[in-house]
Amino acid sequence: MMIKRALIFLVLAFFAWQFLLMVTGWEGLSAPGEIARHYLEKGREELGVANIVTAIVVTYRGLDTLGEVSVLFLAAAGIGFLLGAGKLSGKSEGDSARDLDNGKARRKASEILETGSDIIVPAIAVFGVYIFVNGHLSPGGGFQGGAVIASAILLLFLTHPSYSLNHGVLKVTESLSGTAYVGLGLLGLVLASGFLDARFLPAGEFGRILSAGAIPVIYSLIGLKVGAELVGILEQMRRPS
């Protein structure tokens, strides 16, 4: 026991020392680097996008974003695998649904909460769509919009314990948005200058909703995919084991 505590103390002291070195030795950049300066100075001209962060995430560093989406997909798949104990123990989805209805641990929400959620949930979902559709014009994007939509579903789960999702629609949405996302990336590779290069569609008028080439479409697909995956995780986590 003493050796274990000593090792824990040494590890914590090591990370504390490294953190102290990082904080005391950090010096802010006096100017953006060459690549960052190119993004800042040429982003609007090359991509016609008002939000330069979106230009970087969706196009300039689009391959990185594909990796992040893949990590989220793997996380959702892993959670679904680990929490799929109900099926492994012989329970069908129908059994799980009945458990949701009859489970003693699930208490019905008050009428005020139910009515409030019925009013707020559609507004939250629309706001999520707004965030990723306008990601090229204002702060926001696919990840944020998808998370907001998932929060609306979470509110439904909390206030309506017996609420069930159409898993077919959820899986189709997740699969089609992911496939279309990769397809748009390949179109950029063939018709423009690289994978996820949004310039294979017209740039349109700067500042308009239909502008910045394929960036709004790409961000919308990311938002749908992220939202579907997060909702799938929530659904798996509320299933009885």
Side-chain angles (χ1 to χ4, degrees), residues 38-52:
H38 175 87
Y39 293 161
L40 295 172
E41 295 176 353
K42 301 293 184 182
R44 174 174 175 172
E45 176 186 345
E46 292 181 345
L47 301 174
V49 61
N51 183 359
I52 193 62

Side-chain angles (χ1 to χ4, degrees), residues 196-238:
L196 283 174
D197 190 333
R199 291 174 293 184
F200 65 87
L201 288 182
E205 184 178 352
F206 180 79
R208 296 289 186 179
I209 189 70
L210 296 178
S211 64
I215 286 179
V217 182
I218 295 172
Y219 241 176
S220 297
L221 293 173
I222 292 175
L224 291 174
K225 183 169 177 57
V226 169
E229 289 174 347
L230 292 179
V231 170
I233 291 175
L234 294 173
E235 176 66 12
Q236 290 289 344
M237 294 183 71
R238 80 171 189 143

Side-chain angles (χ1 to χ4, degrees), residues 73 165-181 221 224-229 232:
F73 170 75
L165 291 170
N166 187 325
H167 294 276
V169 173
L170 197 63
K171 291 178 180 177
V172 168
T173 301
E174 194 274 335
S175 300
L176 287 182
S177 57
T179 303
Y181 172 53
L221 293 173
L224 291 174
K225 183 169 177 57
V226 169
E229 289 174 347

